[in-house]
Amino acid sequence: MTYIPKPKLHHPDLPKNKLGFTHRDYEGSVSTLCAGCGHDSISAAIIQACFELDLPPHRIAKMSGIGCSSKTPDYFLGNSHGFNSVHGRMPSVLTGANLANKDLIYLGVSGDGDSASIGFGQFAHSIRRGVNMVYIVENNGVYGLTKGQFSATSDKGSKSKYGALNSDSAIDMVAMALQLGATYVARGFSGDKEQLVPLIKAAINHHGAAFIDCLSPCVAFNNHIGSTKSFDYVREHNESVNKLDMMVDHDPIVADYAPGTMELVTQHDGSVLRLRKLAPHYDPNDRIAAMSYLGERAAQGEIVTGLLYVDPQGEDLHDYCNTIDKPLNELGTADLVPGQAALDKLNEDLR
Amino acid sequence: MEPTNIAAPEYFHKVVDCQWACPAHTPVPEYIRLIAAGRYTDAYMVNWKSNVFPGILGRTCDRPCEPACRRGRVEKEPVAICRLKRVAADNKQDIHNRLPVIPAQKNGKKIALIGAGPASLTVARDLAPLGYEIVMFDGDPKPGGMMRSQIPRFRLPEAVTDEECGYILDMGIETRFGTRINSLKQLLSEGFDAIFVGSGAPRGRELELPGRKEAGANIHIGIDWLSSVSFGHIDKIGKRVIVLGGGNTAMDCCRTSRRLGGESVKVIVRSGFEEMKASPWEKDDAMHEDIPILNMLVPTEFLHKNGKLTGVSFEKVKAVYDAKGKRSLVPTGEPNEIHECDDVLVAVGQENAFPWIERDIGMQFDRWDMPVVDETTFQSTIPTVFFGGDAAFGPKNIIWAVAHGQQAAISIDMFCQGEDVKKRPPPDVAIISQKMGIHEWSYDNDISNDLRYRVPHQEKALALADVRLEVELGFDKKIGYAEAERCLNCDVQTVFAPNLCIECDACVDICPMDCITFTPNAPEDELRLELKAPAKNRTQDIYVSSELKTGRIMAKDEDVCLHCGLCAERCPTGAWDMQKFLLDLTLAGPACHSK
Ligand SMILES: Cc1cc2nc3c(=O)[nH]c(=O)nc-3n(C[C@H](O)[C@H](O)[C@H](O)COP(=O)(O)OP(=O)(O)OC[C@H]3O[C@@H](n4cnc5c(N)ncnc54)[C@H](O)[C@@H]3O)c2cc1C
Ligand SMILES: Cc1ncc(C[n+]2csc(CCOP(=O)(O)OP(=O)(O)O)c2C)c(N)n1
Ligand code: SF4
Ligand code: SF4
Ligand code: SF4
Ligand SMILES: [Mg+2]
């Protein structure tokens, strides 16, 4: 936590994006989290991703629940919309907002406590309904805000800062998201922005429910020996299956790569994902294979990261509900109250 | 890149851009913080120790520190370092009890100083407290050299010169003012243990053009004319004046003319406006006093009628660049431009002159007829004779004269104590953590967004009516505080401990200037381009750590760091710390002696 506001001055040679903004224009107010918190790095990655995608900040809505992680939307995109809901209720608030105005980009920001405990049901249903959103869980294995109790993603057998052993089984949020039908699933690490920023960018461009589980060490309560969510542990056990570049324009050039080591995925909106395979046999288009591979590696104590699954032609809640193109919040009284004649006709049809 | 050796004093010294650029290495941010704290007397004494004439320099310094100031690279303009010095001088209390005590018991060594300008005065200040007996000669009746004789009173009131020369003369200096030295040979035979030549560069360059002799009564050499004004021998000039030359002397000539009856005063220079030697602020001040600066005009002839000057004829030129980008001025071919006038002031340069140094006493002169002087020791080829100030390497300015004086004093002291003058004493350095609490530092790390404040000026009509009325009024305490707060405290260094870093990226994320990058090591040229923001300013160093746990290194571009300490506040492990680096130049005295 810092008391002075971040100075307004910036590097004279900062690049500007197509809107004429620098990355500093995507910042929020200064973070109040502990110094070194992984969550702050994720905020920085979101800032970088939105900057690189040339997104107009006022077209983004940030939604969150309760927790250190859920506080972070205050610390990025200071000119975007935001809603800080009660604990675990972000998914339903986001779903409602999305139904009302499908034109905004929805960023759901949550924690492992917020999403894997109190909000587990909400998380599950927003994913299985295919809400068009980016759902990021900033996963530190503890309830950071309430001083470090084990959360539901904490591995069985891992040790708390004060020596207690966790006896409960862990929930793997990536496995859950795959199971529940998310059409974009990734895992990242706050300490590796080179990997994380493209994952966030591709998730934003994805049509459908995009889920990112991001390991994010809690420096205050879960960065000790015996933790499986510490900087050192994650670095030692990080098995990245691929390296993602996102190209917004079509660019068929795949020079210099041996056959089978590069894969191009064209998403619904035309954006092209270029995946450089690090684990040669890993296929991010095969949901079932992904689930079994992840399970195998997890049993070995490895943490698989990268773009784990993508269905480029994903569909969303609005597709399923067959809503009109125009966002519902833009409909005027004439559309919403069509009058007695229309009602009569409808009633007639139902007889 | 190799890991940076932060133990070498030059490394952090260079980060303090202003102090590095200051010839006397004044610890600028240290005194600026004292001003902000209202400790004007302390701020004055920090300056007095480093540059001897804070009140004078706070009004007149050439301020090489300001173009170097980091603030000028992160926003529009540098900190008004020079004018803050004046705030300290204007608001200080009596300093007599803080001045060095002069020993009653002398050390038996007697030193002659030729000239009473800033160079000699500095030597006197540094040597008198050590017990040296000092005899100071000057042809003029009062001390100060060109600070008194040349710099117009409306820029530097005489009282300030009197005060600051007084502190030194009161150290028991024996003065022989009104005594010009006409023979060095003679002086060498008078038994001094060492002689310091601080006689300046007293001769104004001539402009030999047709008509020079015939119209001579109304053509004046700038520096001679200015001293005549300073000493009250001249108090008026014609209504139409042309000043030839584009340096600071020209600016003083034209502004003085405006105050002595010149109504239409023009400065005319041969090259372009941008290439003029005068400092930008002096040009601004001149133009503010309704003095046009005309450029690309080469004077060819002084016009006269019946033995009286009527004007100057100028050939029009333009700049052309050859393939190598070298510029030359060539005539445009247009007819000459005639500017009518009543008086001309010639300010086209200044030269050294040593007619009083015999050429048969063993002193070596170079091919420009300048004495051969060692650039670090200031010793001439006669071991007992030292030079400094404008006399050493040609005309410079006051702060260089002071810096020379300090080094010459060290040499004289070492020489008189039987030491090798080539073994220069290292500077005194200290580095101290500024951490007081989790978010508390013993300096104000909050960065001010204020733009540079303008120094208030005397009302123009009043200023132009009196050649002795000071134009600049100086900052008051309130603006002085606000301007002081613009300083970035570049001496509070970011110090990195690689063994503590867990590579969490917190410092990278918070840094407002994108200074910090964790990256694989590479040769400097590549590394500079791979940083979060490209490090294009090659004059500023990259601070590189040893290898970290992930095999990467920490690389910090010093160029635009605000010294805001946010990296250190955000670091969970204390791998960054903010540490004040204080460098004090060692002056003459026991610290220079090996025994
Ligand atoms: C018009 C003008 C304006 C200037 N404005 C500025 C300014 O704003 N800021 C700045 O920093 N610098 C300025 N300068 C330059 C500055 O004044 C000099 O660089 C500085 O004074 C040099 O100091 P010094 O000690 O070497 O010699 P000087 O100041 O020149 O002093 C030399 C002294 O030696 C005496 N002397 C010379 N020969 C003998 C002898 N044989 N016997 C006895 N005495 C002798 C002279 O009478 C003189 O008093 C200006 C110069 C001029 C001409
Ligand atoms: C309804 C409700 N129950 C419990 C709490 C207490 N509480 C606040 S934050 C939190 C856990 C947050 O954990 P997580 O989502 O992992 O966030 P972190 O702080 O670790 O980022 C809990 C249980 C609450 N605020 N509201
Ligand atoms: S900001 Fe302050 S410390 Fe830094 S160079 Fe300028 S005056 Fe010196
Ligand atoms: S002090 Fe630290 S945070 Fe502040 S600008 Fe410098 S490197 Fe960046
Ligand atoms: S904040 Fe500290 S521990 Fe984290 S990367 Fe920076 S120096 Fe290393
Ligand atoms: Mg948590």
Side-chain angles (χ1 to χ4, degrees), chain B residues 228-250:
Chain B
S228 301
V229 175
S230 287
F231 294 129
H233 307 319
I234 287 180
D235 59 6
K236 56 175 167 302
I237 195 158
K239 283 198 165 57
R240 298 167 306 162
V241 181
I242 289 176
V243 177
L244 299 174
N248 290 338
T249 302

PDB file of all heavy atoms in Angstrom, chain B residues 228-250:
ATOM      1  N   SER B 228      33.371  51.324 -17.104  1.00  0.00           N
ATOM      2  CA  SER B 228      33.269  52.775 -16.900  1.00  0.00           C
ATOM      3  C   SER B 228      31.900  53.143 -16.347  1.00  0.00           C
ATOM      4  O   SER B 228      31.766  54.055 -15.520  1.00  0.00           O
ATOM      5  CB  SER B 228      33.494  53.528 -18.210  1.00  0.00           C
ATOM      6  OG  SER B 228      34.756  53.214 -18.707  1.00  0.00           O
ATOM      7  N   VAL B 229      30.872  52.425 -16.817  1.00  0.00           N
ATOM      8  CA  VAL B 229      29.528  52.672 -16.270  1.00  0.00           C
ATOM      9  C   VAL B 229      29.491  52.245 -14.805  1.00  0.00           C
ATOM     10  O   VAL B 229      29.019  52.962 -13.931  1.00  0.00           O
ATOM     11  CB  VAL B 229      28.445  51.925 -17.091  1.00  0.00           C
ATOM     12  CG1 VAL B 229      27.072  52.077 -16.438  1.00  0.00           C
ATOM     13  CG2 VAL B 229      28.413  52.436 -18.530  1.00  0.00           C
ATOM     14  N   SER B 230      30.029  51.044 -14.534  1.00  0.00           N
ATOM     15  CA  SER B 230      30.006  50.538 -13.160  1.00  0.00           C
ATOM     16  C   SER B 230      30.706  51.498 -12.206  1.00  0.00           C
ATOM     17  O   SER B 230      30.270  51.703 -11.081  1.00  0.00           O
ATOM     18  CB  SER B 230      30.689  49.171 -13.079  1.00  0.00           C
ATOM     19  OG  SER B 230      29.869  48.199 -13.654  1.00  0.00           O
ATOM     20  N   PHE B 231      31.826  52.057 -12.657  1.00  0.00           N
ATOM     21  CA  PHE B 231      32.573  52.941 -11.772  1.00  0.00           C
ATOM     22  C   PHE B 231      32.099  54.384 -11.845  1.00  0.00           C
ATOM     23  O   PHE B 231      32.693  55.276 -11.272  1.00  0.00           O
ATOM     24  CB  PHE B 231      34.078  52.826 -12.052  1.00  0.00           C
ATOM     25  CG  PHE B 231      34.625  51.471 -11.693  1.00  0.00           C
ATOM     26  CD1 PHE B 231      35.386  50.736 -12.575  1.00  0.00           C
ATOM     27  CD2 PHE B 231      34.348  50.911 -10.441  1.00  0.00           C
ATOM     28  CE1 PHE B 231      35.875  49.481 -12.234  1.00  0.00           C
ATOM     29  CE2 PHE B 231      34.823  49.659 -10.097  1.00  0.00           C
ATOM     30  CZ  PHE B 231      35.592  48.928 -10.994  1.00  0.00           C
ATOM     31  N   GLY B 232      31.027  54.630 -12.596  1.00  0.00           N
ATOM     32  CA  GLY B 232      30.413  55.947 -12.603  1.00  0.00           C
ATOM     33  C   GLY B 232      31.082  56.958 -13.517  1.00  0.00           C
ATOM     34  O   GLY B 232      30.792  58.142 -13.438  1.00  0.00           O
ATOM     35  N   HIS B 233      32.001  56.487 -14.385  1.00  0.00           N
ATOM     36  CA  HIS B 233      32.657  57.445 -15.286  1.00  0.00           C
ATOM     37  C   HIS B 233      31.792  57.776 -16.491  1.00  0.00           C
ATOM     38  O   HIS B 233      31.966  58.798 -17.128  1.00  0.00           O
ATOM     39  CB  HIS B 233      34.005  56.892 -15.777  1.00  0.00           C
ATOM     40  CG  HIS B 233      34.903  56.461 -14.667  1.00  0.00           C
ATOM     41  ND1 HIS B 233      35.019  57.191 -13.500  1.00  0.00           N
ATOM     42  CD2 HIS B 233      35.710  55.382 -14.519  1.00  0.00           C
ATOM     43  CE1 HIS B 233      35.870  56.577 -12.681  1.00  0.00           C
ATOM     44  NE2 HIS B 233      36.294  55.467 -13.279  1.00  0.00           N
ATOM     45  N   ILE B 234      30.877  56.898 -16.824  1.00  0.00           N
ATOM     46  CA  ILE B 234      29.998  57.153 -17.961  1.00  0.00           C
ATOM     47  C   ILE B 234      28.573  57.065 -17.466  1.00  0.00           C
ATOM     48  O   ILE B 234      28.229  56.132 -16.733  1.00  0.00           O
ATOM     49  CB  ILE B 234      30.224  56.107 -19.086  1.00  0.00           C
ATOM     50  CG1 ILE B 234      31.556  56.380 -19.785  1.00  0.00           C
ATOM     51  CG2 ILE B 234      29.074  56.121 -20.092  1.00  0.00           C
ATOM     52  CD1 ILE B 234      31.875  55.408 -20.898  1.00  0.00           C
ATOM     53  N   ASP B 235      27.734  58.033 -17.834  1.00  0.00           N
ATOM     54  CA  ASP B 235      26.340  57.944 -17.397  1.00  0.00           C
ATOM     55  C   ASP B 235      25.350  58.277 -18.502  1.00  0.00           C
ATOM     56  O   ASP B 235      24.169  58.466 -18.242  1.00  0.00           O
ATOM     57  CB  ASP B 235      26.093  58.798 -16.149  1.00  0.00           C
ATOM     58  CG  ASP B 235      26.428  60.256 -16.408  1.00  0.00           C
ATOM     59  OD1 ASP B 235      26.736  60.589 -17.582  1.00  0.00           O
ATOM     60  OD2 ASP B 235      26.388  61.052 -15.448  1.00  0.00           O
ATOM     61  N   LYS B 236      25.840  58.387 -19.734  1.00  0.00           N
ATOM     62  CA  LYS B 236      24.871  58.507 -20.821  1.00  0.00           C
ATOM     63  C   LYS B 236      25.414  57.980 -22.145  1.00  0.00           C
ATOM     64  O   LYS B 236      26.604  57.783 -22.324  1.00  0.00           O
ATOM     65  CB  LYS B 236      24.369  59.939 -20.972  1.00  0.00           C
ATOM     66  CG  LYS B 236      25.420  61.010 -21.173  1.00  0.00           C
ATOM     67  CD  LYS B 236      24.705  62.337 -21.418  1.00  0.00           C
ATOM     68  CE  LYS B 236      25.632  63.533 -21.317  1.00  0.00           C
ATOM     69  NZ  LYS B 236      26.335  63.685 -20.021  1.00  0.00           N
ATOM     70  N   ILE B 237      24.474  57.781 -23.087  1.00  0.00           N
ATOM     71  CA  ILE B 237      24.834  57.285 -24.420  1.00  0.00           C
ATOM     72  C   ILE B 237      23.827  57.879 -25.403  1.00  0.00           C
ATOM     73  O   ILE B 237      22.773  58.403 -24.987  1.00  0.00           O
ATOM     74  CB  ILE B 237      24.851  55.734 -24.448  1.00  0.00           C
ATOM     75  CG1 ILE B 237      25.573  55.222 -25.708  1.00  0.00           C
ATOM     76  CG2 ILE B 237      23.428  55.178 -24.387  1.00  0.00           C
ATOM     77  CD1 ILE B 237      26.090  53.823 -25.590  1.00  0.00           C
ATOM     78  N   GLY B 238      24.156  57.803 -26.702  1.00  0.00           N
ATOM     79  CA  GLY B 238      23.263  58.383 -27.700  1.00  0.00           C
ATOM     80  C   GLY B 238      21.895  57.719 -27.727  1.00  0.00           C
ATOM     81  O   GLY B 238      21.695  56.654 -27.143  1.00  0.00           O
ATOM     82  N   LYS B 239      20.956  58.351 -28.461  1.00  0.00           N
ATOM     83  CA  LYS B 239      19.594  57.813 -28.509  1.00  0.00           C
ATOM     84  C   LYS B 239      19.523  56.528 -29.315  1.00  0.00           C
ATOM     85  O   LYS B 239      18.736  55.651 -29.015  1.00  0.00           O
ATOM     86  CB  LYS B 239      18.661  58.849 -29.147  1.00  0.00           C
ATOM     87  CG  LYS B 239      18.278  59.990 -28.220  1.00  0.00           C
ATOM     88  CD  LYS B 239      17.041  60.697 -28.760  1.00  0.00           C
ATOM     89  CE  LYS B 239      16.381  61.603 -27.735  1.00  0.00           C
ATOM     90  NZ  LYS B 239      17.257  62.644 -27.162  1.00  0.00           N
ATOM     91  N   ARG B 240      20.368  56.451 -30.395  1.00  0.00           N
ATOM     92  CA  ARG B 240      20.326  55.250 -31.241  1.00  0.00           C
ATOM     93  C   ARG B 240      21.643  54.486 -31.072  1.00  0.00           C
ATOM     94  O   ARG B 240      22.717  55.016 -31.363  1.00  0.00           O
ATOM     95  CB  ARG B 240      20.145  55.655 -32.709  1.00  0.00           C
ATOM     96  CG  ARG B 240      18.819  56.396 -32.960  1.00  0.00           C
ATOM     97  CD  ARG B 240      18.825  57.038 -34.328  1.00  0.00           C
ATOM     98  NE  ARG B 240      20.004  57.888 -34.506  1.00  0.00           N
ATOM     99  CZ  ARG B 240      20.463  58.307 -35.695  1.00  0.00           C
ATOM    100  NH1 ARG B 240      19.821  57.994 -36.804  1.00  0.00           N
ATOM    101  NH2 ARG B 240      21.538  59.068 -35.775  1.00  0.00           N
ATOM    102  N   VAL B 241      21.523  53.246 -30.567  1.00  0.00           N
ATOM    103  CA  VAL B 241      22.730  52.471 -30.249  1.00  0.00           C
ATOM    104  C   VAL B 241      22.687  51.131 -30.978  1.00  0.00           C
ATOM    105  O   VAL B 241      21.645  50.483 -31.045  1.00  0.00           O
ATOM    106  CB  VAL B 241      22.827  52.219 -28.723  1.00  0.00           C
ATOM    107  CG1 VAL B 241      24.100  51.435 -28.389  1.00  0.00           C
ATOM    108  CG2 VAL B 241      22.770  53.526 -27.951  1.00  0.00           C
ATOM    109  N   ILE B 242      23.839  50.757 -31.523  1.00  0.00           N
ATOM    110  CA  ILE B 242      23.958  49.410 -32.096  1.00  0.00           C
ATOM    111  C   ILE B 242      24.987  48.637 -31.287  1.00  0.00           C
ATOM    112  O   ILE B 242      26.088  49.136 -31.026  1.00  0.00           O
ATOM    113  CB  ILE B 242      24.404  49.462 -33.574  1.00  0.00           C
ATOM    114  CG1 ILE B 242      23.246  50.011 -34.427  1.00  0.00           C
ATOM    115  CG2 ILE B 242      24.808  48.083 -34.070  1.00  0.00           C
ATOM    116  CD1 ILE B 242      23.621  50.190 -35.879  1.00  0.00           C
ATOM    117  N   VAL B 243      24.580  47.448 -30.842  1.00  0.00           N
ATOM    118  CA  VAL B 243      25.514  46.578 -30.133  1.00  0.00           C
ATOM    119  C   VAL B 243      25.898  45.457 -31.089  1.00  0.00           C
ATOM    120  O   VAL B 243      25.022  44.761 -31.622  1.00  0.00           O
ATOM    121  CB  VAL B 243      24.872  46.007 -28.852  1.00  0.00           C
ATOM    122  CG1 VAL B 243      25.830  45.040 -28.161  1.00  0.00           C
ATOM    123  CG2 VAL B 243      24.464  47.147 -27.914  1.00  0.00           C
ATOM    124  N   LEU B 244      27.198  45.299 -31.315  1.00  0.00           N
ATOM    125  CA  LEU B 244      27.682  44.242 -32.209  1.00  0.00           C
ATOM    126  C   LEU B 244      28.174  43.076 -31.363  1.00  0.00           C
ATOM    127  O   LEU B 244      29.029  43.239 -30.500  1.00  0.00           O
ATOM    128  CB  LEU B 244      28.819  44.769 -33.081  1.00  0.00           C
ATOM    129  CG  LEU B 244      28.451  45.938 -34.013  1.00  0.00           C
ATOM    130  CD1 LEU B 244      29.694  46.467 -34.727  1.00  0.00           C
ATOM    131  CD2 LEU B 244      27.391  45.503 -35.026  1.00  0.00           C
ATOM    132  N   GLY B 245      27.624  41.895 -31.599  1.00  0.00           N
ATOM    133  CA  GLY B 245      28.037  40.721 -30.831  1.00  0.00           C
ATOM    134  C   GLY B 245      26.833  40.051 -30.203  1.00  0.00           C
ATOM    135  O   GLY B 245      25.806  40.701 -29.975  1.00  0.00           O
ATOM    136  N   GLY B 246      26.956  38.737 -29.961  1.00  0.00           N
ATOM    137  CA  GLY B 246      25.793  37.976 -29.499  1.00  0.00           C
ATOM    138  C   GLY B 246      26.014  37.238 -28.199  1.00  0.00           C
ATOM    139  O   GLY B 246      25.274  36.314 -27.877  1.00  0.00           O
ATOM    140  N   GLY B 247      27.006  37.660 -27.428  1.00  0.00           N
ATOM    141  CA  GLY B 247      27.247  36.975 -26.158  1.00  0.00           C
ATOM    142  C   GLY B 247      26.605  37.721 -24.998  1.00  0.00           C
ATOM    143  O   GLY B 247      25.854  38.682 -25.175  1.00  0.00           O
ATOM    144  N   ASN B 248      26.939  37.252 -23.785  1.00  0.00           N
ATOM    145  CA  ASN B 248      26.351  37.873 -22.605  1.00  0.00           C
ATOM    146  C   ASN B 248      26.813  39.322 -22.424  1.00  0.00           C
ATOM    147  O   ASN B 248      26.060  40.161 -21.933  1.00  0.00           O
ATOM    148  CB  ASN B 248      26.664  37.042 -21.360  1.00  0.00           C
ATOM    149  CG  ASN B 248      25.900  35.721 -21.387  1.00  0.00           C
ATOM    150  OD1 ASN B 248      24.890  35.599 -22.075  1.00  0.00           O
ATOM    151  ND2 ASN B 248      26.376  34.751 -20.652  1.00  0.00           N
ATOM    152  N   THR B 249      28.021  39.626 -22.841  1.00  0.00           N
ATOM    153  CA  THR B 249      28.492  41.006 -22.734  1.00  0.00           C
ATOM    154  C   THR B 249      27.617  41.921 -23.599  1.00  0.00           C
ATOM    155  O   THR B 249      27.237  43.019 -23.194  1.00  0.00           O
ATOM    156  CB  THR B 249      29.958  41.111 -23.188  1.00  0.00           C
ATOM    157  OG1 THR B 249      30.730  40.230 -22.377  1.00  0.00           O
ATOM    158  CG2 THR B 249      30.493  42.521 -23.041  1.00  0.00           C
ATOM    159  N   ALA B 250      27.270  41.425 -24.790  1.00  0.00           N
ATOM    160  CA  ALA B 250      26.395  42.209 -25.675  1.00  0.00           C
ATOM    161  C   ALA B 250      25.053  42.475 -24.991  1.00  0.00           C
ATOM    162  O   ALA B 250      24.494  43.577 -25.078  1.00  0.00           O
ATOM    163  CB  ALA B 250      26.193  41.473 -26.993  1.00  0.00           C
TER     164      ALA B 250
END
